[in-house]
Amino acid sequence: MKLPKIDTPIYEINLVSNNKTVKFRPFLVKEQKLFLMASESDDPKEIVNCIKQVLSNCVLNDDVDINELSSFDLEYLFLNLRAKSVGEVVNLTYSCNNTVKNDKGDDVRCGGVVKFDVNLMEIKPTIDKEHSNKIEINKKLGVVMKYPTFNLLSDLEKKPNADIIDLIIACVDYIYDDETIYYSKDIDKADMLEFFDSMQQSDFVKIEKFFKTAPKITKTLNFKCPKCSHTEDIVIEGVQNFFG
């Protein structure tokens, strides 16, 4: 005799980058087991891979490739998935790094502990009003950028000599002038390097601004140590902080 199937609710959110509606189900016991295995390894890369696997399992859209999502879309999607699967509130603990004097007059780390309850549903993307993925070099020439994915950022981290130029080139969607559109997939890396090396610094700053003003998924916590009264603002970001 077959057991009855358990219905699971379906939720929706809109991606930050393109406002596309994504449907997802909560993660189940089988996905929770993946999280437990990854957390035991204490390896950030394994945690990210686990999160991507769980998102792939839970996202119901056939036209959404988790590996192709921008890093902030993936983070926002995971926060919503975690909230609907485990609970909207996550408990975070931070210890004070302020330097204080001990009884012997030596400098030591304070270590006072503060616990925070963070409501994941209150974390919204920060979007800079001046942000644009279209960078105008002059009236006839410009660059259109695409957002870096987790896979791209991970690949660049593995390259010891990778720099901002490598990131920029990897994120070019296309270059255009008044006659032609030059798609990045059709451009040799040497030609791309020459293109950016020939830029004026003022134009290169425009390209860098694309990354600096890109949407972010962050939460600022007001930290006050109960032990030494040190205060500071703690900005938390990255899916690892909300993994549990």
Side-chain angles (χ1 to χ4, degrees), residues 14-50:
N14 292 334
L15 296 180
V16 184
S17 61
N18 55 16
N19 207 37
K20 178 182 179 65
T21 300
V22 174
K23 295 183 178 181
F24 64 95
R25 64 163 174 80
F27 58 74
L28 310 177
V29 172
K30 59 183 179 181
E31 281 99 24
Q32 182 64 26
K33 289 179 180 178
L34 294 176
F35 281 133
L36 291 174
M37 291 173 60
S39 62
E40 289 174 358
S41 72
D42 200 28
D43 184 345
K45 292 182 181 178
E46 282 198 31
I47 291 175
V48 171
N49 287 335
C50 174

Side-chain angles (χ1 to χ4, degrees), residues 112-155:
V113 174
V114 176
K115 295 183 178 181
F116 296 94
D117 291 334
V118 178
N119 190 325
L120 298 179
M121 302 308 294
E122 294 178 355
I123 301 177
K124 302 298 181 184
T126 57
I127 302 175
D128 195 300
K129 293 180 180 180
E130 296 184 1
H131 177 72
S132 175
N133 69 327
K134 184 177 181 180
I135 296 94
E136 187 178 278
I137 306 303
N138 56 50
K139 292 183 179 180
K140 296 183 179 181
L141 179 66
V143 181
V144 174
M145 306 292 289
K146 56 189 176 184
Y147 296 108
T149 64
F150 258 109
N151 281 358
L152 171 60
L153 295 175
S154 178
D155 289 343

Side-chain angles (χ1 to χ4, degrees), residues 2-231:
K2 291 185 177 180
L3 292 173
K5 291 186 176 181
I6 302 174
D7 292 331
T8 54
I10 296 175
Y11 302 100
E12 293 183 353
I13 69 163
N14 292 334
L15 296 180
V16 184
S17 61
N18 55 16
N19 207 37
K20 178 182 179 65
T21 300
V22 174
K23 295 183 178 181
F24 64 95
R25 64 163 174 80
F27 58 74
L28 310 177
V29 172
K30 59 183 179 181
E31 281 99 24
Q32 182 64 26
K33 289 179 180 178
L34 294 176
F35 281 133
L36 291 174
M37 291 173 60
S39 62
E40 289 174 358
S41 72
D42 200 28
D43 184 345
K45 292 182 181 178
E46 282 198 31
I47 291 175
V48 171
N49 287 335
C50 174
I51 288 171
K52 291 194 294 184
Q53 180 61 61
V54 171
L55 284 173
S56 295
N57 293 355
C58 297
V59 168
L60 304 179
N61 301 55
D62 293 332
D63 58 345
V64 173
D65 184 347
I66 298 301
N67 290 316
E68 294 301 317
L69 289 179
S70 68
S71 56
F72 54 80
D73 276 332
L74 189 146
E75 289 176 353
Y76 188 52
L77 180 54
F78 174 73
L79 289 188
N80 279 267
L81 174 62
R82 198 271 183 205
K84 298 302 183 183
S85 302
V86 180
E88 296 182 358
V89 176
V90 63
N91 308 117
L92 303 178
T93 301
Y94 289 91
S95 59
C96 181
N97 290 316
N98 187 38
T99 300
V100 296
K101 299 285 187 182
N102 63 11
D103 295 339
K104 298 179 180 180
D106 299 324
D107 288 337
V108 295
R109 188 176 71 87
C110 171
V113 174
V114 176
K115 295 183 178 181
F116 296 94
D117 291 334
V118 178
N119 190 325
L120 298 179
M121 302 308 294
E122 294 178 355
I123 301 177
K124 302 298 181 184
T126 57
I127 302 175
D128 195 300
K129 293 180 180 180
E130 296 184 1
H131 177 72
S132 175
N133 69 327
K134 184 177 181 180
I135 296 94
E136 187 178 278
I137 306 303
N138 56 50
K139 292 183 179 180
K140 296 183 179 181
L141 179 66
V143 181
V144 174
M145 306 292 289
K146 56 189 176 184
Y147 296 108
T149 64
F150 258 109
N151 281 358
L152 171 60
L153 295 175
S154 178
D155 289 343
L156 288 177
E157 285 179 359
K158 297 174 184 176
K159 297 179 180 179
N161 298 319
D163 56 19
I164 184 63
I165 289 291
D166 293 294
L167 177 62
I168 290 172
I169 290 176
C171 291
V172 170
D173 192 1
Y174 61 86
I175 298 168
Y176 66 90
D177 58 24
D178 56 348
E179 296 181 353
T180 308
I181 292 178
Y182 309 88
Y183 289 97
S184 59
K185 61 183 179 65
D186 301 323
I187 306 173
D188 291 335
K189 184 175 181 179
D191 292 335
M192 196 78 84
L193 279 169
E194 183 180 355
F195 176 81
F196 285 105
D197 282 344
S198 65
M199 274 188 178
Q200 297 182 59
Q201 184 60 30
S202 58
D203 292 326
F204 191 76
V205 169
K206 297 177 186 177
I207 303 289
E208 291 181 312
K209 185 178 178 181
F210 163 76
F211 296 100
K212 292 179 179 178
T213 61
K216 294 178 177 62
I217 311 298
T218 65
K219 175 70 174 178
T220 300
L221 303 177
N222 304 120
F223 178 93
K224 182 174 182 178
C225 179
K227 189 175 179 181
C228 70
S229 299
H230 172 72
T231 60

